[in-house]
Amino acid sequence: MKSDSKIFVCGHKGMVGSGIWKELEHQGYTNLVGKTHTELDLLDSVAVKNFFEVEKPEYVILAAAKVGGIHANDTYPAEFIYQNLQIQNNIIHSAYMNNVKKLLFLGSSCIYPRDAAQPITEDSLLTGPLEKTNQWYAVAKISGIKMCEAYRKQYGVDYISVMPTNLYGINDTYSAENSHVIPGLIRRFHEAKVEGKPAVQCWGDGSAFREFLYSQDLAKACVFLMKEYSEAQHINVGYGSDVMVKDLANLVKEIVGYEGEIEWDTTKPNGTPKKLMDSSKIFNLGWKPTIGLREGLELAYEDFKKKQL
């Protein structure tokens, strides 16, 4: 990519997309294109087709998706599978039809089997049953990977797929019920502190392990891969180590400054027991994360507080 190459960042207002936009600007790219949902509905195939025919982006980073935590995935399965499939189909096909030089598709670690051997390698895809609570989202993302592979195989295009681990950071969605674990915990502990609640309830028993990557680290990885990676196989992007959810909750509680108790609701699901990805492939290419969990959580909490003003 040249500094003046036209780069379309799909979902540039979201946590991941805004981070990628910021990183591209930081690295001197000056011809970035982003459209809000009001300006371009990615579910509308005709609108997407027209956009590509007019704008003719040279590079595409597909960071737009319908996302959410266990509760959201389990409550809105039809929306998760339909909207994500529709967005992917529209963007990937329009990119091909308009001779996009390179496309990066962002997936998720939930594509892997629930009981995949740890740490999870890229080869684990489609080797076992998915975690049921987010299978709809996972199936859509697997379809996106396979679509990129299919277009590469049939048409010779340079479409790559990136599988990040659990993400958090600036511009996250801090919903108490529908967000991922970190933004959900930040909101619950903050509100409990402000309201003087004696306890905060968390889903499951806290025994699950999760790996977390700060969103700006992922943004750097994506720009790095746009320059350095052009293989058919998807590539993992993780932090390299995980944390027990119970320990995570205590760390968020400490950073927020909440002094009450944590109550674990064992009637609610834990999700996948352990989900640590093998990121040795990208590490060996020369990329490594730079933001540790405590530092990232402190930055995320500051971001959350700004949004409350």
Side-chain angles (χ1 to χ4, degrees):
M1 295 188 298
K2 297 176 182 177
S3 61
D4 61 348
S5 295
K6 183 178 276 193
I7 306 169
F8 177 35
V9 182
C10 310
H12 76 297
K13 291 293 187 181
M15 177 180 68
V16 173
S18 64
I20 292 171
W21 185 283
K22 180 180 176 183
E23 182 61 26
L24 286 166
E25 285 188 329
H26 176 71
Q27 293 195 25
Y29 293 97
T30 57
N31 194 5
L32 308 183
V33 179
K35 295 292 182 182
T36 64
H37 177 73
T38 305
E39 294 170 325
L40 177 62
D41 181 358
L42 299 179
L43 298 174
D44 184 337
S45 56
V46 174
V48 173
K49 175 178 179 288
N50 292 339
F51 164 80
F52 270 84
E53 289 175 351
V54 171
E55 290 286 347
K56 293 289 185 183
E58 298 173 79
Y59 298 89
V60 173
I61 299 176
L62 179 40
K66 180 174 178 61
V67 298
I70 291 175
H71 176 76
N73 274 271
D74 212 25
T75 306
Y76 310 108
E79 292 178 29
F80 271 85
I81 194 164
Y82 169 73
Q83 292 188 24
N84 284 300
L85 284 172
Q86 188 79 346
I87 291 168
Q88 295 160 196
N89 289 345
N90 289 341
I91 296 295
I92 294 170
H93 186 67
S94 289
Y96 162 68
M97 293 299 292
N98 290 275
N99 301 311
V100 164
K101 293 178 181 177
K102 187 165 189 173
L103 178 145
L104 184 152
F105 170 72
L106 273 158
S108 163
S109 59
C110 73
I111 62 165
Y112 293 117
R114 172 185 166 88
D115 298 316
Q118 306 287 320
I120 307 170
T121 64
E122 286 87 354
D123 293 333
S124 299
L125 183 65
L126 297 176
T127 59
L130 299 165
E131 162 61 33
K132 288 184 178 179
T133 53
N134 59 13
Q135 61 182 311
W136 326 104
Y137 179 70
V139 166
K141 288 298 182 181
I142 292 168
S143 298
I145 295 169
K146 291 302 177 183
M147 191 170 181
C148 287
E149 289 179 6
Y151 276 60
R152 173 185 283 269
K153 181 178 180 180
Q154 185 168 345
Y155 303 126
V157 292
D158 189 7
Y159 294 176
I160 63 172
S161 298
V162 175
M163 298 305 115
T165 190
N166 299 288
L167 301 169
Y168 69 102
I170 308 302
N171 278 340
D172 209 337
T173 302
Y174 299 93
S175 165
E177 296 298 330
N178 292 331
S179 64
H180 289 106
V181 57
I182 284 180
L185 288 173
I186 287 175
R187 185 180 189 97
R188 286 185 206 168
F189 283 123
H190 177 82
E191 290 181 347
K193 181 179 78 168
V194 171
E195 296 166 13
K197 290 184 178 178
V200 167
Q201 194 173 80
C202 296
W203 276 35
D205 61 11
S207 64
F209 281 81
R210 289 291 179 272
E211 178 185 26
F212 295 100
L213 182 69
Y214 189 63
S215 57
Q216 205 57 41
D217 272 334
L218 173 65
K220 292 177 182 177
C222 287
V223 178
F224 173 83
L225 291 168
M226 284 294 282
K227 298 176 181 177
E228 304 292 338
Y229 189 74
S230 290
E231 293 182 22
Q233 188 182 49
H234 61 280
I235 186 167
N236 290 342
V237 180
Y239 184 72
S241 61
D242 56 9
V243 60
M244 186 184 287
V245 171
K246 188 171 286 186
D247 294 333
L248 171 70
N250 283 315
L251 182 56
V252 175
K253 173 186 168 183
E254 178 189 334
I255 288 169
V256 170
Y258 174 64
E259 297 182 351
E261 299 297 319
I262 300 176
E263 295 176 350
W264 294 94
D265 183 356
T266 55
T267 66
K268 297 295 194 297
N270 281 324
T272 306
K274 185 176 173 71
K275 197 166 65 171
L276 175 64
M277 297 204 309
D278 183 340
S279 299
S280 57
K281 197 171 179 180
I282 189 171
F283 290 171
N284 290 337
L285 287 174
W287 174 88
K288 290 278 175 44
T290 59
I291 305 294
L293 184 59
R294 175 179 283 275
E295 181 186 356
L297 289 173
E298 289 171 347
L299 291 168
Y301 184 45
E302 289 304 312
D303 179 56
F304 169 79
K305 286 190 290 186
K306 288 176 185 174
K307 286 180 166 57
Q308 306 314 299
L309 298 176

